[in-house]
Short mmCIF file of all heavy atoms in Angstrom, two decimals:
data_model
loop_
_atom_site.label_atom_id
_atom_site.label_comp_id
_atom_site.label_asym_id
_atom_site.label_seq_id
_atom_site.Cartn_x
_atom_site.Cartn_y
_atom_site.Cartn_z
N THR X 491 244.45 173.88 37.12
CA THR X 491 243.38 172.93 37.37
C THR X 491 242.46 172.72 36.15
O THR X 491 241.95 171.63 35.94
CB THR X 491 242.48 173.40 38.57
OG1 THR X 491 242.06 174.75 38.33
CG2 THR X 491 243.27 173.36 39.84
N LEU X 492 242.33 173.74 35.31
CA LEU X 492 241.53 173.54 34.08
C LEU X 492 242.21 172.56 33.14
O LEU X 492 241.52 171.77 32.50
CB LEU X 492 241.30 174.88 33.37
CG LEU X 492 240.44 174.84 32.12
CD1 LEU X 492 239.12 174.15 32.38
CD2 LEU X 492 240.24 176.25 31.54
N HIS X 493 243.53 172.54 33.13
CA HIS X 493 244.26 171.54 32.34
C HIS X 493 243.92 170.13 32.83
O HIS X 493 243.74 169.21 32.01
CB HIS X 493 245.75 171.76 32.42
CG HIS X 493 246.24 173.03 31.83
ND1 HIS X 493 246.61 173.15 30.51
CD2 HIS X 493 246.43 174.25 32.38
CE1 HIS X 493 246.99 174.38 30.27
NE2 HIS X 493 246.91 175.06 31.39
N VAL X 494 243.87 169.98 34.10
CA VAL X 494 243.59 168.66 34.69
C VAL X 494 242.20 168.23 34.33
O VAL X 494 241.95 167.09 33.88
CB VAL X 494 243.78 168.70 36.21
CG1 VAL X 494 243.45 167.35 36.83
CG2 VAL X 494 245.19 169.10 36.58
N VAL X 495 241.20 169.11 34.47
CA VAL X 495 239.82 168.80 34.14
C VAL X 495 239.71 168.49 32.63
O VAL X 495 238.95 167.59 32.22
CB VAL X 495 238.89 169.97 34.53
CG1 VAL X 495 237.48 169.72 34.02
CG2 VAL X 495 238.87 170.12 36.05
N ALA X 496 240.46 169.19 31.81
CA ALA X 496 240.43 168.95 30.37
C ALA X 496 240.91 167.54 30.04
O ALA X 496 240.56 167.00 28.97
CB ALA X 496 241.28 169.99 29.64
N LYS X 497 241.67 166.94 30.93
CA LYS X 497 242.15 165.57 30.72
C LYS X 497 241.15 164.55 31.21
O LYS X 497 241.45 163.33 31.20
CB LYS X 497 243.48 165.36 31.44
CG LYS X 497 244.61 166.20 30.90
CD LYS X 497 245.07 165.74 29.51
CE LYS X 497 246.30 166.49 29.05
NZ LYS X 497 246.75 166.07 27.71
N GLY X 498 239.99 164.98 31.65
CA GLY X 498 238.95 164.08 32.13
C GLY X 498 239.06 163.70 33.57
O GLY X 498 238.44 162.73 34.02
N ILE X 499 239.85 164.48 34.35
CA ILE X 499 240.06 164.18 35.78
C ILE X 499 239.22 165.16 36.59
O ILE X 499 239.35 166.38 36.46
CB ILE X 499 241.52 164.32 36.13
CG1 ILE X 499 242.35 163.34 35.29
CG2 ILE X 499 241.76 164.12 37.62
CD1 ILE X 499 243.87 163.61 35.40
N THR X 500 238.35 164.60 37.46
CA THR X 500 237.57 165.46 38.36
C THR X 500 238.46 166.02 39.45
O THR X 500 239.20 165.23 40.10
CB THR X 500 236.41 164.64 38.97
OG1 THR X 500 235.55 164.18 37.92
CG2 THR X 500 235.58 165.52 39.93
N VAL X 501 238.34 167.29 39.74
CA VAL X 501 239.18 167.93 40.75
C VAL X 501 238.22 168.46 41.85
O VAL X 501 237.36 169.28 41.60
CB VAL X 501 240.01 169.08 40.18
CG1 VAL X 501 240.87 169.72 41.29
CG2 VAL X 501 240.87 168.59 39.04
N VAL X 502 238.38 167.91 43.06
CA VAL X 502 237.51 168.23 44.18
C VAL X 502 238.32 169.04 45.21
O VAL X 502 239.42 168.65 45.57
CB VAL X 502 236.98 166.97 44.84
CG1 VAL X 502 235.91 167.29 45.89
CG2 VAL X 502 236.38 166.04 43.80
N TYR X 503 237.76 170.14 45.65
CA TYR X 503 238.43 171.04 46.60
C TYR X 503 237.53 171.30 47.80
O TYR X 503 236.29 171.25 47.72
CB TYR X 503 238.71 172.40 45.96
CG TYR X 503 240.09 172.58 45.31
CD1 TYR X 503 240.27 172.27 43.98
CD2 TYR X 503 241.14 173.12 46.05
CE1 TYR X 503 241.49 172.48 43.35
CE2 TYR X 503 242.36 173.31 45.42
CZ TYR X 503 242.56 173.00 44.09
OH TYR X 503 243.78 173.22 43.52
N SER X 504 238.14 171.65 48.94
CA SER X 504 237.41 172.12 50.09
C SER X 504 237.10 173.60 49.94
O SER X 504 237.81 174.33 49.26
CB SER X 504 238.20 171.86 51.38
OG SER X 504 239.54 172.38 51.26
N ALA X 505 236.00 174.05 50.59
CA ALA X 505 235.52 175.43 50.39
C ALA X 505 236.20 176.42 51.33
O ALA X 505 236.13 177.62 51.07
CB ALA X 505 234.00 175.48 50.63
N GLY X 506 236.90 175.95 52.40
CA GLY X 506 237.49 176.85 53.34
C GLY X 506 236.75 176.84 54.66
O GLY X 506 235.59 176.46 54.78
N ASN X 507 237.43 177.36 55.70
CA ASN X 507 236.92 177.31 57.08
C ASN X 507 236.79 178.67 57.71
O ASN X 507 237.07 178.87 58.87
CB ASN X 507 237.85 176.43 57.93
CG ASN X 507 237.91 175.01 57.43
OD1 ASN X 507 236.94 174.43 56.95
ND2 ASN X 507 239.08 174.41 57.52
N ASP X 508 236.36 179.65 56.93
CA ASP X 508 236.25 181.02 57.42
C ASP X 508 234.80 181.45 57.63
O ASP X 508 234.55 182.65 57.73
CB ASP X 508 237.00 181.99 56.45
CG ASP X 508 238.47 181.74 56.41
OD1 ASP X 508 239.06 181.55 57.49
OD2 ASP X 508 239.06 181.74 55.33
N GLY X 509 233.89 180.51 57.64
CA GLY X 509 232.47 180.88 57.87
C GLY X 509 232.22 181.24 59.32
O GLY X 509 233.08 181.06 60.17
N PRO X 510 231.04 181.78 59.62
CA PRO X 510 229.93 181.93 58.67
C PRO X 510 229.91 183.26 57.90
O PRO X 510 228.89 183.69 57.45
CB PRO X 510 228.72 181.88 59.62
CG PRO X 510 229.21 182.46 60.92
CD PRO X 510 230.65 182.09 61.02
N ILE X 511 231.09 183.89 57.81
CA ILE X 511 231.16 185.18 57.10
C ILE X 511 230.97 184.98 55.61
O ILE X 511 231.47 184.03 55.03
CB ILE X 511 232.53 185.84 57.38
CG1 ILE X 511 232.70 186.06 58.89
CG2 ILE X 511 232.67 187.14 56.63
CD1 ILE X 511 234.11 186.44 59.25
N ALA X 512 230.22 185.87 55.01
CA ALA X 512 229.91 185.80 53.55
C ALA X 512 231.18 186.13 52.75
O ALA X 512 232.10 186.78 53.24
CB ALA X 512 228.81 186.76 53.18
#
Side-chain angles (χ1 to χ4, degrees):
T491 53
L492 182 53
H493 293 272
V494 178
V495 173
K497 296 290 186 179
I499 301 168
T500 299
V501 182
V502 187
Y503 267 90
S504 51
N507 299 324
D508 295 317
I511 301 169

